[in-house]
Amino acid sequence: MTAREEILGRVRAALADVGDRDTAETPIPWTYGRPVGTGDLDVVDRFAERVADYRAQVRRCAAPDLGATVRELLGPIDGAAGVLGDEVVRDLVPGPLPWLDDDGLSPYRLDAAAAVVTTATVGIANTGTIVLDHGPGQGRRAVTLVPDVHVCVVHADRIVDDVPAAVARLRDTGVHVRPLTWISGPSATSDIELDRVEGVHGPRSLRVIVVE
């Protein structure tokens, strides 16, 4: 018996006592874009929970504490490697850091950077997803995909409940026409022998700061 035959046999056995009435289609009243909520947690709590589920580090802080929190999550920095971040990010994180300007740096130089710090356009609570539109504060796509560490600052007022609300916000702000990056946790794959390997398609370490 092949694996296919075995699977279909189990399906047929499970359905043996199901009549036609039981298999009739039941319409589900649902409209795309309708608010779905976040269960027993508010949007910020749900977002933090789901992001942590993806093995990302999560910190929550008030705006005045953002600089100290970014430094905490960056940890020791090799000054020669530098930290990528544009002027918007540097204004959010006052004080000395070995900032590195991205003036069209090669993938090899980006890979040598200690980390990248960005803001985010939208956070999605139910999926723990962060959306980047690569406008000010976020840099080009390569900047957020090549370095091994990504520290992402997400303001609480940019967190929505689910994907339809995120799409609506992207359309309302006009950034839906740009190339977008949707991030759900650190880059990881289990394609080979089901062994989880992180850092294959993007940062190995995602560190998210929720500013409330």
Side-chain angles (χ1 to χ4, degrees), residues 5 8 51 86 109 142 160 178 182 193 208:
E5 292 169 339
L8 292 177
V51 171
D86 67 11
R109 186 62 187 90
V160 298
R178 299 180 183 174
W182 297 58
E193 303 264 337
V208 178

Side-chain angles (χ1 to χ4, degrees), residues 51-68:
V51 171
D53 283 346
Y54 281 119
R55 303 188 188 182
Q57 296 183 50
V58 183
R59 294 286 188 281
R60 298 170 67 165
C61 73
D65 301 323
L66 177 57

Side-chain angles (χ1 to χ4, degrees), residues 17-51:
D17 59 349
V18 177
D20 292 339
R21 181 178 299 178
D22 299 321
T23 60
E25 292 186 3
T26 301
I28 300 175
W30 184 77
T31 303
Y32 183 83
R34 184 187 70 183
V36 297
T38 52
D40 56 344
L41 297 177
D42 65 27
V43 290
V44 176
D45 289 339
R46 180 68 73 196
F47 176 76
E49 175 196 66
R50 293 291 163 85
V51 171

Side-chain angles (χ1 to χ4, degrees), residues 156-172:
D157 60 0
R158 295 196 174 194
I159 300 174
V160 298
D161 61 352
D162 217 323
V163 173
V167 172
R169 180 167 295 196
L170 294 170
R171 291 181 62 87
D172 289 344

